[in-house]
Structure formats: structure tokens, C-alpha cells
Amino acid sequence: MKRFISLIVLLTLAGTLAACGSPDASEDSSSVTIGYFPNLDHVPAMIAKDQKLYEKNLADGTTVDYVTFADGADFMTALKTGDIDAGLVGPGPAMNNYTNGADVTMIAGGASGGTVVMARNGSGIDSVDDFAGKTFITPRVGCTHDVQFETFMKEQGITSNRIGGEMLHQTGNPAQYEALFATEKVDVAVAPEPWASVLKQNTGAKVIIEPDEISFGTTLPASVLVTSSKLIKENPEMVEGIVNAHKEATEFITENPDQAKEITIDTIDDITGQKLEASIIDGAWENMIFDTALSSEEIQAFGDSSFDLKFLKEQPDFALLTDTQFLE
């Protein structure tokens, strides 16, 4: 919570500076600010920070700062205002903002998997067939996990009350799902890891939909590395350095899983104030695939589903949303 309060202060200060005519972050080639979330699909950013991989891959003397977020909407606001230059975010918020005219480009995949649908112990839910009339929670309306879940449920013939269906939708910070289960305010949580494993171990919640069962679970990155087309055009060397640091972080995770888990536990504790047990991270890690691959076809398919579910007002065209030149 302390970090989130600090974020608000930081964004307020940045906004004040912008109003006074200071250049935004993307115009200062000697500094770069990276954004990410305290979720497992954002581990590459945690590793890159701990191992100083951005400093290694960017021009000598470049100052690297980091800002953390609780949801994609705040992340995208920071990217649009120039308070961050790049970072990891779910594909859902990036697509939603792109269709509204935001300058955002996906330049690499972050991680796939990690979206788990959990039923509260005592909710009376044993399978998807019991979901009608129940309350479910996702981090945000139209976020990646929300689209994954509602796409899957639509195929089962059940939709949310947002579009006139049977399930009641709430939104909230995944780090607080455990408390919401304890007070019985929600029945089903669409939880990004490690928060699904937290629910399972600490509350006895039941896994109803596994990460490889939910729609787009293993074919679409749950997080993507994004920046602006403005930065790509004006400073491609910086963007290349950002992608190279991200690739090195992903390789580090594969080659040093135990060390990567320790860094993850310490980073999440620093951001959220929650010291997760190693057993939780071990379980959550099994639900993740860390890979920089990015498929424009999968991004388009996810966007088409978002439109079908009325998260997007118009049929999207994401041909220019992805740019994988720096991965090649």
C-alpha cells in the first residue's frame, strides 16, 4: 500500500512538472522509467531491476527508474502522459487504449499462463455448471483476465450481468482477494498468479478452471512489453536496449529459477507488504510460461473476442499494434 501511495505522489508530481513545461520522460534520452505489476507474469521486470539489466543494455549513464501499478488502466494513463517509457501490462488494457487512439505498441511477450479461476470454500461451487447467479471478481472490467474468463464462460452459455447475463461482476486488487473470500463478498475469483496460489493455500479455495483450460491461457501472453511508437521512431536504440534487457531477464528466469523465485518473493513483499511463502511461489510458478514470443494473430483473435463481448465498441484492427523488429 505504501508503494501505491508513493505512486500517486509520483504521478501527481510528474503532472505538475509537465504543466510547468518540463519535457516528458521519452524526450530525455538519459533516463528511462519502466512500469510493472506485482504479479507473476511481470517477473521479467522484477529480475531486470534486481540484476540491473536495463542499466547494462542501455547507453552508459542512463538512469533507470521503476513504477508499480495495481491495474492496467493506471499503467496506460502513465504511458500516455509520458510518466513511464515502457513496461509490462496485460494485452487487454493495451488493446482497449489503442482502439481509443492511445500511442502504444507491443514489442515483446512477457509471460503466458497464470490465470486461474478459483471458487471460494463454502460457495457451493464444484464446477462451471454452478456459476450462474454467483458473483465473480476480476482486476478490472475488460482486463486480460476478464476477457479470458468471459470468453470461456460464453462458450459454456453463461455471461456476466454487464451484458445482461447471469453472473454478477465485481472488480478489485488481486492482492485483496483473500480478504474478500474471507468475508464471502465474492464467490469466484479470476486470479492472476501468485494470488490464485495464495487463495488455494490460505483459504482452501478450489481450482475450477486451470490456466491451460481458460481461453487464450497458453497461446496469448498474459503480459506484454509495450512502449510508444513515438519512442520507437525517435530513439530506436533505447527501445532495442529495453527489449534486450527484457530478453536477458527471461533467460535468467529459465536458467536460475530458484534465484528468480527469491527475487520475486522479495519484490512482491516490497510492493504489497505481503511476504509470500516459498511453497506458494513454487505452486504458482508451475502455472507460468516465461517467453518473449508475441503473435500478432493471437493479439487480433483476443481483440475480436473482446469486441464480441462488447468490451470494445468497434471491430478492432491490430495490424499496427505489434512491432517485433527488436526481438529478431
Side-chain angles (χ1 to χ4, degrees):
M1 179 61 71
K2 180 172 64 179
R3 285 299 181 94
F4 294 137
I5 295 174
S6 298
L7 169 61
I8 294 172
V9 173
L10 175 61
L11 293 177
T12 302
L13 177 60
T16 302
L17 291 174
C20 293
S22 299
D24 65 34
S26 64
E27 293 173 331
D28 181 0
S29 60
S30 65
S31 68
V32 62
T33 302
I34 304 295
Y36 67 100
F37 301 11
N39 297 335
L40 240 59
D41 47 8
H42 294 243
V43 167
M46 303 178 198
I47 299 301
K49 179 182 179 182
D50 183 83
Q51 297 295 306
K52 299 188 183 307
L53 298 180
Y54 286 109
E55 288 85 342
K56 173 185 173 184
N57 283 280
L58 293 170
D60 290 346
T62 301
T63 300
V64 183
D65 296 310
Y66 297 86
V67 180
T68 59
F69 298 87
D71 63 65
D74 290 339
F75 176 101
M76 290 305 306
T77 297
L79 184 68
K80 287 184 288 187
T81 58
D83 290 310
I84 62 173
D85 299 287
L88 287 168
V89 68
M95 293 177 191
N96 294 340
N97 280 268
Y98 180 82
T99 59
N100 290 326
D103 181 7
V104 54
T105 302
M106 299 179 183
I107 51 178
S112 60
T115 299
V116 191
V117 179
M118 312 291 298
R120 176 176 55 79
N121 187 20
S123 64
I125 297 173
D126 293 315
S127 72
V128 172
D129 294 337
D130 301 318
F131 278 2
K134 301 294 185 179
T135 299
F136 75 101
I137 189 167
T138 67
R140 195 95 175 186
V141 174
C143 73
T144 306
H145 313 287
D146 193 358
V147 175
Q148 285 184 273
F149 177 68
E150 295 205 36
T151 299
F152 180 91
M153 292 307 301
K154 186 178 180 182
E155 294 171 354
Q156 317 306 312
I158 300 175
T159 55
S160 76
N161 61 330
R162 179 183 54 83
I163 51 177
E166 304 90 340
M167 291 198 75
L168 306 177
H169 189 198
Q170 292 188 18
T171 60
N173 184 347
Q176 298 173 349
Y177 286 0
E178 183 178 356
L180 294 172
F181 265 27
T183 56
E184 301 183 359
K185 291 184 177 178
V186 295
D187 304 304
V188 176
V190 184
E193 290 287 16
W195 307 111
S197 293
V198 169
L199 292 174
K200 183 177 181 180
Q201 179 163 311
N202 293 353
T203 75
K206 181 184 297 183
V207 177
I208 302 298
I209 305 174
E210 299 276 4
D212 60 351
E213 297 174 335
I214 197 167
S215 299
F216 306 103
T218 59
T219 58
L220 180 84
S223 64
V224 290
L225 183 65
V226 303
T227 187
S228 65
S229 63
K230 179 174 181 286
L231 187 61
I232 293 174
K233 179 180 179 181
E234 296 180 352
N235 198 338
E237 294 81 9
M238 173 178 280
V239 178
E240 183 177 16
I242 290 172
V243 173
N244 287 340
H246 177 66
K247 290 164 65 177
E248 284 194 29
T250 304
E251 292 170 0
F252 182 96
I253 295 168
T254 301
E255 296 170 358
N256 308 278
D258 291 340
Q259 188 177 352
K261 291 176 185 176
E262 293 176 1
I263 294 170
T264 300
I265 291 172
D266 290 342
T267 302
I268 291 177
D269 181 28
D270 191 35
I271 297 170
T272 69
Q274 292 182 249
K275 185 78 170 181
L276 300 178
E277 297 179 22
S279 58
I280 288 178
I281 293 297
D282 286 340
W285 214 263
E286 295 177 359
N287 289 330
M288 302 300 306
I289 301 170
F290 295 102
D291 189 354
T292 61
L294 181 63
S295 166
S296 58
E297 290 79 11
E298 282 300 311
I299 295 297
Q300 184 63 53
F302 187 84
D304 292 341
S305 187
S306 296
F307 173 70
D308 290 340
L309 288 164
K310 303 186 187 304
F311 289 116
L312 298 177
K313 295 179 180 178
E314 299 179 0
Q315 184 77 42
D317 179 358
F318 291 142
L320 300 178
L321 177 56
T322 57
D323 183 347
T324 59
Q325 63 172 306
F326 301 102
L327 282 175
E328 299 165 356

